[in-house]
Amino acid sequence: MNEKFETHEHDVLIIGAGGAGLRAAIEALGHGASVAVVCKSLLGKAHTVMAEGGIAAAMANVDAADDWRTHFRDTMRGGKFLNNWRMAQIHAQEAPDRVRELEQWGALFDRTSSGDILQRAFGGHTYKRLCHVGDRTGLEMIRTLQDRGVHLGIDVYMECAVTRLLKDGDRIAGAFAYWRETGRFVVFKAKSVVMATGGIGKAWRITSNSWEYTGDGMALAYEAGAELIDMEFVQFHPTGMVWPPGVQGILVTEAVRGEGGILRNKEGERFMERYDSEKMELSTRDVVARAIYTEVREGRGTEHGGAYLDISHKPAEYVKRKLPSMYHQFRELADVDITQGPMEVGPTCHYMMGGIRVDAETAQATVSGLFAAGEAAAGLHGANRLGGNSLSDLLVFGKRAGAAAAEHAKRSTPVNIEAADVEKAAREMLEPFERAAGDSPYQIHRELEELMQNYVGIFRNEEDLQKGLAALDQLQQRAAGVKVEGSRLFNPGWHLARDLKSMLTVAEAVALSARERKESRGAHSRIDYPKYDETWAKQNNVIVRDGDRMRLKQTPIDEMAPDLRKIVDV
Amino acid sequence: MSANATFNIFRGDRLGGELKEYEVPVAPGMVVLDALHYIQGHAAPDLAVRWNCKAGKCGSCSAEVNGKPRLTCKTRLDDLPLAEAVTVQPMKSFPVIKDLVTDVSWNYRVNRKIPPFHAPESVEWKMDQRDVDRVQEFRKCIECFLCQNVCHVLRDHSKQEQFGGPRFFVRVAGLEMHPLDDVSRTHLLKDELGIGYCNITKCCTEVCPEDIHITDNAIIPLKERVIDDYYDPVRWFLRKLKGKNNGA
């Protein structure tokens, strides 16, 4: 072990302090583990705070007919049956208890007239199923988990960024990180590591994601030898803001449609009739996003290249009460009063269905001691995620990952970290300061966003994906030679230089998987292969590191248990 | 609209610093945070700024724009007099780390003092929306700490050790007025969070980007609870008699 660096030792190290990370931390602590949470931002600012519409859980408070079986069926159908069905089952069965637990920790949901948790309609859900707090459900959730965790005694290392996982032979031994504030390096020694780092939306130009969403967890796990799965499935949320330019991509909650919002093109047509005449605006996100994109491409878009989303037929007071942050967001940033007229909306990169391949029961990755939960993990959502299933995912699998990580730590012998690995990690971080010349990390990032937007977007084809992969190769070479200016003290340019590496790794995995899957399914739409393909219905793409190269293989989907098969075949 | 705007931005650290001038092309609907990102991307790659959601939901990008405490993601350039340079400085009540980033860790330490939500064992989890509405106002807080930044007890008198600040009165109000909470925090309010220092000048309410009526709906009712518990002679006597575990 290297004495040069500040070192902290814990049983369980959790990377990421959103819903999944905090829920995992609370659970691991309950299992008697010493727990550290490391996060890139201040506590309480993780992406969960931006979640708006609600948590999907078959509580049956509003629609008495709802139960886990229907939630399971909706999730599988939404994911076009590419989901890990065991995860979908666990998720549907356990979500209601996770919501009740949140309430018992102090979360205050909107109520029904009989005093229970109120639930609203959302795309792809058969029943009114989303437990919510107006349109700021994520804030309520993160604040509840944050306060619970802090009072139970979790050590939180804020504004600290992990740059490498450390291993002891084949198993996880900890992580190397730096403090954003000072730039000083820090080593975390741990028998179990939980990846709860979220997604990769900052690789696209039009995105609802913040600077933190750079695919760190997926890239670090991949570099440590873990498998990634379903990487071609990137969710474009149908409704992001399109105007003015600075707010392009900012999320407009699906709750607008859940509360009765109507989509129209510039000719005033309710165009969803042509794409899904049954579910209309409450069709799944993949369908609605493609519909809006197609309307715009065929010349029926709005002034700023989107569609109109209108909720102004509802009473103004109702809109302000159920969608308060949308009301303020549009009034303050776009000069639009949504109680009086329509919003302009268009697709925005929002969520990664793919990620670290995990075991359904324990959330363990394919490397010993490594776990993953939430958006960083994959399996639950298959080819397309239903709105509201993300917050429940965080709670259900955050809890399971925390428990399994704590138990793994109990069973493990002490881990050893090689000084040479730590030195190597430190060297990597210092190099960008020492180069005489090189691109600015911001320049490379702009080019990456542009290329993913153009070549690996909503609609894909062989030629574009080929171009994208070639351009990514070029960018990877340039990114390896970026030059950073200034000192190590809170230096966003330096931080971006490291984040770029993660983004480029994950972007390559996305483009490679997208090129391989020669069919259209869920969020993956190939113009050159517009139909479902029977072969691809039965397998997932898996990305694994092979020396210094990225290798792609396929893995067959297990036959669904007969009792579950009966549920989905109804 | 392709005119430029001039920004004077504080560059420096704990040891000191100065305003530096940057030119930024103005686009329709642009906010101050967009300008800061432009400067990072083109002129000052090491300019330290906190931000996350860029939509007023996370409370990360607080700063003082032309001397006024604001979320930079919600401060439109077309609301500022662009004939003059726009000045952007870090929040004054917190120590500077670098540029616009300040050390707000004190807030997290204060939060640890507050006893969490607790409900009686056998409670039925039913609540009326009207009771929930009242508390949801406090739960809207995005922890931008602008209220802490403007509170004169902290800003001018540096009572950080004796006083919790408006953010944490809002948090305590959210717990105390939760329909099912059974903990009393009046002891904490009086002795550890020093609610008596607040002389209700409403500076906090004026800057709250979530429009929480901090003074009227949180602080004043909490002050009344403290008075009821500690200065009402009948209550005082009853408390002595019962030995209530206040603030456990």
Side-chain angles (χ1 to χ4, degrees):
Chain A
M1 192 58 221
N2 198 311
E3 301 300 324
K4 254 169 71 182
F5 300 106
E6 174 188 345
T7 301
H8 300 277
E9 193 165 347
H10 293 272
D11 297 324
V12 177
L13 174 69
I14 292 165
I15 307 176
L22 291 172
R23 188 62 190 83
I26 290 166
E27 198 63 18
L29 210 67
H31 281 248
S34 92
V35 180
V37 175
V38 179
C39 53
K40 292 209 286 190
S41 286
L42 295 172
L43 184 61
K45 310 297 185 193
H47 234 284
T48 305
V49 84
M50 287 165 242
E52 293 164 355
I55 310 179
M59 321 266 296
N61 288 350
V62 175
D63 289 331
D66 200 10
D67 70 354
W68 75 263
R69 292 171 190 84
T70 319
H71 191 184
F72 169 75
R73 186 194 306 137
D74 290 345
T75 301
M76 292 300 296
R77 284 185 181 166
K80 311 298 173 206
F81 294 93
L82 227 53
N83 326 49
N84 177 320
W85 49 263
R86 178 61 186 143
M87 286 176 86
Q89 180 189 16
I90 290 171
H91 168 254
Q93 287 174 329
E94 296 182 3
D97 280 346
R98 296 290 78 77
V99 172
R100 283 185 206 107
E101 191 173 66
L102 216 54
E103 176 163 80
Q104 287 159 16
W105 295 344
L108 271 172
F109 294 97
D110 288 357
R111 316 308 295 185
T112 64
S113 53
S114 58
D116 296 312
I117 295 175
L118 181 61
Q119 301 185 273
R120 64 159 52 115
F122 238 58
H125 292 281
T126 303
Y127 296 110
K128 288 184 175 164
R129 189 176 282 148
L130 268 75
C131 311
H132 61 277
V133 185
D135 58 2
R136 52 162 199 85
T137 314
L139 172 65
E140 187 69 16
M141 181 161 149
I142 202 160
R143 213 56 96 226
T144 303
L145 292 171
Q146 170 186 347
D147 290 331
R148 173 93 184 162
V150 164
H151 285 286
L152 289 175
I154 299 165
D155 286 309
V156 184
Y157 300 86
M158 298 196 292
E159 298 196 312
C160 185
V162 172
T163 68
R164 192 182 281 247
L165 291 180
L166 300 169
K167 287 175 80 178
D168 179 356
D170 287 336
R171 61 180 181 151
I172 286 294
F176 182 86
Y178 65 87
W179 292 105
R180 290 169 62 77
E181 177 178 337
T182 58
R184 272 190 303 122
F185 296 134
V186 52
V187 174
F188 293 96
K189 201 171 168 186
K191 293 171 192 157
S192 300
V193 171
V194 180
M195 286 298 185
T197 46
I200 173 66
K202 274 311 271 182
W204 279 263
R205 182 168 59 80
I206 301 173
T207 178
S208 66
N209 292 179
S210 82
W211 71 270
E212 290 198 290
Y213 260 39
T214 52
D216 304 0
M218 298 171 195
L220 294 173
Y222 163 81
E223 281 159 19
E227 291 180 352
L228 307 179
I229 193 167
D230 291 339
M231 295 301 284
E232 63 272 43
F233 297 106
V234 179
Q235 179 165 80
F236 291 84
H237 194 291
T239 60
M241 293 176 80
V242 297
W243 185 261
V247 301
Q248 197 177 28
I250 291 178
L251 189 64
V252 178
T253 176
E254 188 169 329
V256 176
R257 285 173 286 137
E259 296 292 347
I262 287 167
L263 285 165
R264 288 198 179 85
N265 61 22
K266 78 167 176 200
E267 267 120 49
E269 290 173 292
R270 201 171 164 189
F271 57 83
M272 281 310 298
E273 275 167 12
R274 288 200 297 276
Y275 301 88
D276 185 345
S277 60
E278 194 188 323
K279 298 201 199 84
M280 299 293 284
E281 280 82 3
L282 288 180
S283 185
T284 52
R285 287 178 175 177
D286 52 338
V287 175
V288 183
R290 276 193 297 272
I292 296 175
Y293 187 92
T294 304
E295 289 299 304
V296 175
R297 199 180 45 184
E298 293 178 357
R300 295 184 296 277
T302 60
E303 184 188 357
H304 301 109
Y308 292 117
L309 173 60
D310 195 357
I311 187 79
S312 63
H313 51 280
K314 294 272 179 186
E317 280 315 305
Y318 181 83
V319 171
K320 286 187 207 170
R321 185 157 54 83
K322 298 305 285 186
L323 303 164
S325 65
M326 288 305 106
Y327 172 73
H328 288 286
Q329 186 171 307
F330 273 90
R331 200 188 56 178
E332 288 163 25
L333 299 176
D335 301 322
V336 169
D337 181 348
I338 68 168
T339 67
Q340 299 301 315
M343 305 159 237
E344 272 187 271
V345 295
T348 180
C349 182
H350 184 56
Y351 186 88
M352 182 61 171
M353 270 73 73
I356 300 166
R357 187 181 190 182
V358 291
D359 172 66
E361 311 288 336
T362 61
Q364 173 142 351
T366 51
V367 168
S368 176
L370 186 64
F371 301 79
E375 191 173 350
L380 170 60
H381 309 293
N384 173 63
R385 176 174 71 83
L386 297 185
N389 271 1
S390 177
L391 291 188
S392 42
D393 175 12
L394 306 182
L395 296 172
V396 168
F397 292 102
K399 178 180 192 287
R400 282 181 166 259
E407 292 304 319
H408 175 89
K410 275 186 206 166
R411 289 193 306 269
S412 304
T413 52
V415 287
N416 179 47
I417 291 173
E418 293 291 334
D421 291 345
V422 176
E423 284 295 339
K424 201 172 153 193
R427 286 291 332 136
E428 178 194 39
M429 287 307 293
L430 293 175
E431 279 167 3
F433 286 108
E434 293 158 6
R435 295 182 187 118
D439 285 299
S440 147
Y442 292 94
Q443 178 61 32
I444 306 271
H445 188 207
R446 284 192 288 267
E447 290 182 36
L448 171 64
E449 289 178 326
E450 212 49 54
L451 106 78
M452 293 305 279
Q453 195 73 34
N454 295 335
Y455 298 136
V456 198
I458 294 185
F459 285 103
R460 300 153 176 188
N461 66 55
E462 189 76 22
E463 193 190 339
D464 283 354
L465 291 166
Q466 211 56 273
K467 277 187 200 160
L469 279 163
L472 278 173
D473 187 50
Q474 292 280 312
L475 273 191
Q476 276 168 346
Q477 291 175 35
R478 282 169 58 202
V482 289
K483 177 173 163 43
V484 167
E485 291 173 36
S487 74
R488 281 165 67 181
L489 200 67
F490 212 115
N491 185 339
W494 183 39
H495 306 162
L496 179 59
R498 179 58 189 82
D499 291 345
L500 266 181
K501 194 178 166 212
S502 295
M503 278 191 274
L504 285 161
T505 301
V506 178
E508 185 186 350
V510 173
L512 213 56
S513 303
R515 188 184 60 179
E516 193 70 9
R517 183 172 284 273
K518 292 179 172 52
E519 67 155 356
S520 291
R521 181 178 300 271
H524 174 66
S525 302
R526 290 281 301 250
I527 294 169
D528 42 355
Y529 299 97
K531 296 212 165 58
Y532 285 152
D533 178 286
E534 273 311 302
T535 313
W536 281 106
K538 298 189 176 82
Q539 57 188 13
N540 301 94
N541 272 322
V542 172
I543 293 280
V544 64
R545 185 176 169 167
D546 186 359
D548 278 342
R549 288 181 62 87
M550 193 174 273
R551 191 159 62 84
L552 182 67
K553 60 179 186 178
Q554 283 77 42
T555 187
I557 295 174
D558 291 338
E559 193 72 36
M560 196 184 295
D563 53 326
L564 297 178
R565 174 51 66 191
K566 271 189 219 147
I567 295 172
V568 296
D569 282 348
V570 168
Chain B
M1 190 159 51
S2 61
N4 278 6
T6 306
F7 281 79
N8 284 331
I9 296 175
F10 177 82
R11 302 298 313 270
D13 53 35
R14 289 184 198 277
L15 304 174
E18 59 186 356
L19 293 177
K20 284 212 170 139
E21 192 177 295
Y22 300 94
E23 289 288 311
V24 175
V26 177
M30 196 165 172
V31 295
V32 170
L33 184 58
D34 291 323
L36 298 174
H37 284 160
Y38 180 87
I39 293 163
Q40 274 186 334
H42 297 87
D46 61 341
L47 172 64
V49 178
R50 279 201 187 101
W51 71 284
N52 285 71
C53 75
K54 216 181 157 301
K57 293 181 172 61
C58 76
S60 300
C61 62
S62 306
E64 300 192 2
V65 179
N66 289 345
K68 293 203 175 66
R70 299 295 308 254
L71 290 180
T72 59
C73 75
K74 283 172 82 180
T75 307
R76 300 254 304 246
L77 296 194
D78 47 20
D79 289 334
L80 299 170
L82 294 184
E84 304 149 33
V86 179
T87 305
V88 189
Q89 290 176 289
M91 287 191 284
K92 184 187 164 221
S93 297
F94 301 108
V96 171
I97 290 173
K98 187 182 158 201
D99 306 337
L100 302 178
V101 173
T102 56
D103 181 354
V104 292
S105 58
W106 168 77
N107 293 286
Y108 290 85
R109 290 197 297 278
V110 175
N111 191 37
R112 282 179 182 266
K113 295 182 190 171
I114 302 172
F117 169 76
H118 183 271
E121 289 303 325
S122 57
V123 73
E124 194 188 6
W125 291 89
K126 299 246 183 201
M127 286 174 254
D128 193 287
Q129 182 66 45
R130 279 165 304 184
D131 296 335
V132 168
D133 278 342
R134 182 164 76 145
V135 184
Q136 282 179 340
E137 180 187 6
F138 308 128
R139 308 277 302 180
K140 283 196 302 186
C141 170
I142 57 174
E143 296 202 324
C144 64
F145 303 130
L146 289 173
C147 58
Q148 307 288 72
N149 182 48
V150 294
C151 175
H152 63 96
V153 182
L154 299 167
R155 191 179 179 104
D156 301 325
H157 304 291
S158 302
K159 295 272 185 207
Q160 271 79 352
E161 290 310 309
Q162 298 97 319
F163 186 66
R167 158 58 190 141
F168 296 102
F169 298 132
V170 166
R171 173 148 157 67
V172 172
L175 292 163
E176 287 280 299
M177 299 181 205
H178 187 300
L180 301 178
D181 179 76
D182 67 352
V183 181
S184 168
R185 297 170 188 80
T186 46
H187 162 75
L188 173 97
L189 286 166
K190 176 176 163 289
D191 292 339
E192 292 196 52
L193 300 184
I195 196 167
Y197 283 106
C198 168
N199 55 5
I200 53 174
T201 51
K202 297 198 179 186
C203 310
C204 50
T205 304
E206 279 166 27
V207 297
C208 179
E210 285 293 313
D211 299 320
I212 301 171
H213 295 91
I214 302 175
T215 316
D216 290 345
N217 293 352
I219 296 179
I220 291 174
L222 290 179
K223 277 175 173 277
E224 284 168 356
R225 286 184 185 219
V226 171
I227 290 165
D228 282 350
D229 271 7
Y230 283 88
Y231 305 105
D232 178 326
V234 180
R235 293 240 192 167
W236 179 86
F237 179 73
L238 284 175
R239 197 158 44 84
K240 282 283 174 200
L241 209 65
K242 286 181 186 163
K244 187 186 174 197
N245 184 13
N246 197 331

